[in-house]
Amino acid sequence: MPPQAGQRSTRPPDAATSNNQPHSVSRCKTDKLRREAYRLMEKAGVRRVRLYDARHAVLSWMANNGVPDTVVSAWAGHSDLSFIKRIYVHPDPRSLQAGSDKLGELLAP
């Protein structure tokens, strides 16, 4: 039986259907992926960061720089746009300043 809205399927995804990836993409264990990413970070001479944090940073950057929510959602593998907005959209200093300026205009005599 398919999962109800808001529930996850208990059936593990297969490589052919997971995240709309081509059939040639194979799933790998997260520890192998993490070790390879850390090796590449070291080779590139960049600071080691958790893949979760790198993913969050990229998706947040996309969400805060005009990439449509539907595209950010597709990259993240989420179908719930409100989740994308809650998790990845953060106010930046320029946006906060613009809001403050607008509030000042509205409250000025």
Side-chain angles (χ1 to χ4, degrees):
M1 177 175 13
Q4 297 298 316
Q7 293 180 332
R8 290 181 171 231
S9 171
T10 56
R11 180 177 164 245
D14 59 80
T17 59
S18 177
N19 296 324
N20 298 323
Q21 296 296 320
H23 293 280
S24 62
V25 174
S26 64
R27 297 178 57 85
C28 67
K29 295 191 180 286
T30 57
D31 59 330
K32 180 180 178 186
L33 178 64
R34 183 176 39 256
R35 284 193 311 268
E36 180 64 11
Y38 288 165
R39 184 187 71 75
L40 292 171
M41 288 175 205
E42 185 176 336
K43 183 178 177 180
V46 297
R47 179 173 60 98
R48 180 188 284 196
V49 295
R50 294 183 311 164
L51 294 179
Y52 173 85
D53 294 332
R55 176 181 187 271
H56 185 87
V58 167
L59 293 170
S60 294
W61 184 89
M62 292 170 70
N64 288 310
N65 285 281
V67 176
D69 293 342
T70 53
V71 174
V72 177
S73 181
W75 271 64
H78 297 296
S79 58
D80 182 1
L81 293 180
S82 65
F83 180 81
I84 293 296
K85 290 181 180 184
R86 274 193 327 273
I87 302 301
Y88 298 111
V89 177
H90 309 291
D92 63 90
R94 288 177 296 185
S95 297
L96 292 172
Q97 184 61 51
S100 176
D101 293 345
K102 188 62 174 177
L103 181 61
E105 289 174 20
L106 294 170
L107 295 176

